[in-house]
């Protein structure tokens, strides 16, 4: 990735989370998302908790250090539930967080578990009133007889307090497990998608939602594919896409009909039937779909690759990047240990020139579309000295292993990077390992 | 043998045999998997697999059976059999000790330290 001065280098900035290897299940990070300005960074975990970090105002005296992210707010978003009617245990794990664009002083985000979406308001309080006529400052009521004069209460500064409150709860609309939420560019509606259905909500209305996609077959024996991800177009409020477990993406136009079961476009790469194997369908399942910021492309992630699609071309992707092709000869073991079902996410940088996704062994990959370069980096405590430049990593696929290379059989498949996020404007990235959040930034000259 | 075929065609046939033997890594993995699990169905992405995915979180609980089991236990003073907490299905009737206590973690996230 060549910057104005040559190749860009990534440096360690911060790491959040416990160092110990004994990871409590609740601490497993399940989603990471920057807000629209990049000032706030939210994480969700398996324990239903949300932690929001805020970027400190840049230190103008030391321009070589980009500002750090510090804890801004943390709250329990979802709690475990048991649906007695259906005998269903509902996990509190936060599947997705999506920020709303800021409209006023407060910040809003949507967080969802398998069944319920919540709109959270995060607001700051830095003043408090003092000098009430009827109450003492500590809250005790004054004796009315002691009041001889009238005073106007004043607002005085206080230590910043950040409060999170649930403003809306969007419940009981999903029979299956929610995998995606996406806020519409109209800033009034959003969609939520589960395995078989997609619903459209209004942010103000919690007691009803419109079903816009329903792929449930009349006979469940005929079920052949499920919805894996869905997203609204960044500018066209009538357009959204959803991906499937069979490797297809459907683009739908809500102006065409109320129920968008019939797609406007179907994106599918033809497969060579002679290459088909037992694993073909499983590894073609799309785990994430993301529109580019400019709205002209979309990116999909399947088990082994990242594909960029031009919205005007349905029959094949315009670019395909291999994330970890060396795993193709390990599919049998990856099926046995269930890793083949891991759902990796992917993301674009601010100007859509670079895409990023995670892999195993705490490796993550970046693909520079313009310069046709790719790099493998590692999120590890060993490379966590302040501003330490990350060394590119390489996996040795066979034959003689060079020094500094790691062989495929030595990869740790329990160390997976499923969630990554890229600051909307700057070269700052957030990479989640199992229970740690790493923040890296490019080396500023 | 192919000795009766003319020389040129024999070379072609040998090449074809070689090509057939060079299986893609993916197909080689499939052969490995089917050797380990001979009863594996032909359609991996099919109905059964997807339906299992849709049923995540399903726990089976019948209040009638549960109360009867509770009553039985009181009478017989049987020690509760240690069971896999995640596998309360089938013949085993869950008892209060078996049902996992799903309480919110009141501990703050370690990311917020």
């Amino acid at each position: 990735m060549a910057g104005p001065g040559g190749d860009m280098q990534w440096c360690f900035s911060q790491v959040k989370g416990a160092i110990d290897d004994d990871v409590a299940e609740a601490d497993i990070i399940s989603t990471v998302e920057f807000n629209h300005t990049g000032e706030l960074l939210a994480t969700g975990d398996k324990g239903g908790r949300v932690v929001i970090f805020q970027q400190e105002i840049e230190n103008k005296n030391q321009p070589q250090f980009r500002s750090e992210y510090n804890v801004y707010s943390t709250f329990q978003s979802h709690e475990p539930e048991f649906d007695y009617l259906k005998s269903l245990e509902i996990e509190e794990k936060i599947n997705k967080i999506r920020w709303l664009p800021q409209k006023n002083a407060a910040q809003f985000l949507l967080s969802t578990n398998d069944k319920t979406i919540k709109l959270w308001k995060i607001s700051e309080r830095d003043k408090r009133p003092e000098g009430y006529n009827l109450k003492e400052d500590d809250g005790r009521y004054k004796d009315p007889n002691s009041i001889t004069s009238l005073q106007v209460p004043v607002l005085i500064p206080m230590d910043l307090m950040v409060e999170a409150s649930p403003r809306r709860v969007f419940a009981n609309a999903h029979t299956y497990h929610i995998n995606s939420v996406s806020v519409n560019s109209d800033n009034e509606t959003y969609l939520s998608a589960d395995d078989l259905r997609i619903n459209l909500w209004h942010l103000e209305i919690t007691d009803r939602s419109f079903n816009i996609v329903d792929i449930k077959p009349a006979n469940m024996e005929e079920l052949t594919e499920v919805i894996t991800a869905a997203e609204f177009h960044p500018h066209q409020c009538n357009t959204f896409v959803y991906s499937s477990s069979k490797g297809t993406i459907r683009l739908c136009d809500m102006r065409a009909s109320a129920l968008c079961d019939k797609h406007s476009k179907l994106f599918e790469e033809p497969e060579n039937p002679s290459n088909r194997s037992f694993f073909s369908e499983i590894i073609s399942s799309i785990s994430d779909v993301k529109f580019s910021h400019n709205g002209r492309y979309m990116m999909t992630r399947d088990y082994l690759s990242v594909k960029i699609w031009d919205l005007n071309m349905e029959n094949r992707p315009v670019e395909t990047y291999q994330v970890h092709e060396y795993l193709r000869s390990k599919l049998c073991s990856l099926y046995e240990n269930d890793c083949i079902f891991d759902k990796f996410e992917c993301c674009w940088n601010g100007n859509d020139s670079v895409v990023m996704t995670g892999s195993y062994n705490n490796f993550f990959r970046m693909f520079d579309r313009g310069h046709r370069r790719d790099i493998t980096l590692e999120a590890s405590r060993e490379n966590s000295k302040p501003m330490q430049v990350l060394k590119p990593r390489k996996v040795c696929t066979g034959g003689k292993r060079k020094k500094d290379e790691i062989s495929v059989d030595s990869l740790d498949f329990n160390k997976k990077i499923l969630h990554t996020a890229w600051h909307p404007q700057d070269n700052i990235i957030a990479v989640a390992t199992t229970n740690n959040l790493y923040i890296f930034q490019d080396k500023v000259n | 043998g192919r000795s009766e075929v003319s020389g040129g065609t024999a070379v072609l046939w040998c090449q074809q045999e070689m090509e057939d033997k060079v299986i893609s890594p993916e197909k080689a993995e499939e052969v490995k998997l089917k050797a380990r699990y001979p009863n594996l169905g032909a359609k991996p992405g099919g109905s059964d697999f997807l339906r299992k995915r849709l049923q995540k979180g399903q726990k089976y609980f019948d209040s009638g059976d549960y109360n009867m089991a509770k009553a039985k236990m009181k009478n017989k003073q049987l020690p509760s059999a240690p069971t896999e907490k995640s596998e309360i299905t089938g013949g085993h009737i869950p008892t209060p000790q078996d049902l996992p206590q799903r309480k919110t973690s009141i501990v703050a996230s370690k990311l917020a330290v």
Side-chain angles (χ1 to χ4, degrees):
Chain A
M1 277 135 289
D7 277 8
M8 185 163 64
Q9 290 186 303
W10 287 93
C11 306
F12 170 84
S13 174
Q14 296 170 273
V15 61
K16 310 277 183 192
I19 303 175
D20 54 79
D21 282 331
D22 194 23
V23 182
E25 209 164 298
D27 292 326
I28 296 173
I29 298 171
S30 51
T31 186
V32 182
E33 187 83 354
F34 279 102
N35 77 334
H36 293 267
T37 60
E39 185 205 353
L40 299 176
L41 175 60
T43 60
D45 66 22
K46 222 169 171 214
R49 300 164 299 191
V50 170
V51 182
I52 301 174
F53 303 93
Q54 182 189 43
Q55 195 179 27
E56 295 301 313
I57 298 171
E58 240 172 86
N59 188 342
K60 296 266 182 330
N61 298 327
Q62 292 187 298
Q64 70 272 25
F65 293 113
R66 270 227 205 66
S67 30
E68 293 201 326
Y69 282 84
N70 297 319
V71 180
Y72 178 66
S73 171
T74 178
F75 54 93
Q76 186 78 37
S77 172
H78 287 71
E79 299 189 6
E81 290 172 63
F82 195 90
D83 182 338
Y84 291 99
L85 194 63
K86 296 180 188 166
S87 280
L88 201 67
E89 189 168 53
I90 301 167
E91 269 193 303
E92 66 275 38
K93 171 167 79 88
I94 308 297
N95 293 335
K96 284 280 157 30
I97 288 172
R98 290 286 181 263
W99 291 92
L100 269 56
Q102 193 173 12
K103 272 199 259 197
N104 52 36
Q107 299 278 357
F108 288 86
L109 60 79
L110 288 171
S111 75
T112 188
N113 69 349
D114 282 341
K115 295 287 178 180
T116 304
I117 306 125
K118 294 187 186 180
L119 177 70
W120 286 89
K121 175 180 179 181
I122 295 108
S123 47
E124 292 184 0
R125 193 197 291 261
D126 62 357
K127 293 183 194 48
R128 62 181 172 84
E130 213 175 59
Y132 282 114
N133 288 289
L134 300 176
K135 277 197 286 192
E136 303 284 1
D137 284 336
D138 61 10
R140 285 177 301 140
Y141 279 95
K142 285 184 188 169
D143 173 13
N145 299 321
S146 68
I147 301 169
T148 53
S149 61
L150 211 56
Q151 60 182 351
V152 178
V154 290
L155 291 172
I156 59 158
M158 64 180 245
D159 284 342
L160 179 67
M161 208 166 77
V162 182
E163 302 169 316
S165 59
R167 304 303 289 176
R168 306 268 187 279
V169 178
F170 304 92
N172 302 319
H174 286 278
T175 306
Y176 302 99
H177 299 108
I178 297 173
N179 52 57
S180 312
V181 290
S182 178
V183 184
N184 201 345
S185 54
D186 68 7
N187 236 324
E188 287 188 347
T189 58
Y190 75 95
L191 64 75
S192 57
D194 68 32
D195 291 313
L196 297 178
R197 299 193 178 101
I198 303 179
N199 293 331
L200 180 71
W201 302 82
H202 191 285
L203 284 164
E204 300 287 323
I205 299 167
T206 58
D207 64 355
R208 79 196 77 174
S209 79
F210 289 99
N211 176 242
I212 53 177
V213 173
D214 188 339
I215 66 167
K216 184 177 179 190
N219 181 359
M220 282 297 267
E221 306 270 322
E222 290 163 8
L223 181 68
T224 54
E225 68 184 319
V226 294
I227 296 168
T228 52
E231 191 175 66
F232 265 120
H233 189 277
H235 315 134
Q236 296 165 17
C237 58
N238 53 288
T239 304
F240 66 93
V241 291
Y242 69 92
S243 58
S244 86
S245 54
K246 272 181 149 176
T248 63
I249 310 99
R250 287 171 177 82
L251 184 141
C252 302
D253 186 334
M254 296 196 294
R255 297 170 302 187
S257 67
L259 191 59
C260 296
D261 279 0
K262 245 174 89 173
H263 53 262
S264 298
K265 294 193 186 188
L266 174 65
F267 297 83
E268 189 174 14
E269 184 168 23
E271 194 200 6
N272 187 344
S274 65
N275 287 340
R276 196 155 177 84
S277 78
F278 175 86
F279 303 108
S280 298
E281 194 173 302
I282 302 174
I283 62 172
S284 73
S285 176
I286 292 170
S287 48
D288 195 15
V289 64
K290 292 263 171 48
F291 279 104
S292 61
H293 291 94
N294 61 22
R296 290 176 48 203
Y297 300 95
M298 66 178 174
M299 163 168 55
T300 57
R301 174 69 155 99
D302 52 70
Y303 190 61
L304 297 178
S305 68
V306 159
K307 294 179 180 168
I308 312 281
W309 303 78
D310 184 324
L311 295 185
N312 296 317
M313 191 160 76
E314 297 166 65
N315 60 353
R316 59 179 168 83
V318 288
E319 293 152 42
T320 300
Y321 302 104
Q322 301 302 333
V323 181
H324 36 218
E325 177 67 16
Y326 46 79
L327 295 184
R328 201 179 287 271
S329 52
K330 301 285 171 197
L331 292 177
C332 180
S333 352
L334 294 168
Y335 179 88
E336 288 179 299
N337 62 20
D338 274 354
C339 284
I340 205 174
F341 302 108
D342 284 336
K343 296 182 176 59
F344 292 95
E345 291 173 7
C346 54
C347 60
W348 298 84
N349 74 340
N351 62 14
D352 301 330
S353 59
V354 184
V355 297
M356 170 167 67
T357 190
S359 179
Y360 294 104
N361 210 71
N362 282 347
F363 286 174
F364 57 101
R365 303 262 285 136
M366 286 184 191
F367 302 95
D368 185 333
R369 301 173 61 209
H371 298 95
R372 295 178 187 276
R373 270 202 285 255
D374 63 90
I375 192 169
T376 305
L377 298 171
E378 182 181 359
S380 136
R381 292 266 175 180
E382 284 167 16
N383 311 317
S384 55
K385 286 198 266 300
M387 299 310 290
Q388 177 177 2
V389 175
L390 297 182
K391 218 171 57 167
R393 309 289 277 129
K394 195 148 187 337
V395 177
C396 161
T397 51
K400 237 168 133 52
R401 185 179 74 88
K402 294 199 190 81
K403 178 176 176 290
D404 283 352
E405 282 185 0
I406 180 165
S407 79
V408 183
D409 296 310
S410 309
L411 295 174
D412 188 340
F413 290 95
N414 290 317
K415 293 189 174 162
K416 18 192 142 198
I417 289 178
L418 304 174
H419 313 287
T420 59
W422 205 309
H423 189 289
Q425 277 126 33
D426 273 339
N427 282 325
I428 303 173
I429 56 176
V431 173
T433 59
T434 306
N435 65 327
N436 283 180
L437 182 72
Y438 285 80
I439 298 171
F440 301 108
Q441 59 191 49
D442 70 343
K443 193 175 164 98
V444 183
N445 302 318
Chain B
R2 297 187 165 81
S3 50
E4 61 270 33
V5 178
S6 74
T9 322
V11 170
L12 277 174
W13 279 29
C14 284
Q15 273 183 356
Q16 182 67 55
E17 275 189 15
M18 274 171 60
E19 271 164 19
D20 286 347
K21 285 203 171 83
V22 176
I23 317 172
S24 74
E26 213 175 295
K27 290 230 177 85
E29 290 294 294
E30 178 173 3
V31 167
K32 226 193 275 179
L33 190 70
K34 294 224 157 115
R36 288 188 206 175
Y37 308 99
N39 296 324
L40 203 57
K43 245 182 93 55
S47 194
D48 289 338
F49 162 68
L50 287 177
R51 272 187 297 166
K52 190 171 143 201
R53 173 191 170 137
L54 297 182
Q55 282 189 332
K56 172 192 126 183
Q58 198 85 41
K59 298 261 187 292
Y60 295 96
F61 181 82
D62 183 305
S63 60
D65 288 342
Y66 169 79
N67 283 311
M68 287 189 56
K70 222 166 71 171
K72 247 190 231 164
M73 271 185 65
K74 241 196 233 163
N75 294 337
K76 286 192 185 167
Q77 300 291 314
L78 283 171
S80 63
T83 44
E84 272 275 301
K85 284 204 154 68
S86 55
E87 305 258 0
I88 317 223
T89 65
H92 175 80
I93 308 298
T95 57
Q97 296 93 303
D98 292 340
L99 289 173
Q101 291 302 311
R102 299 305 324 281
K103 281 209 189 93
T104 319
S105 163
I106 47 174
V107 178
S109 165
K110 298 205 177 96
L111 296 181
V113 165

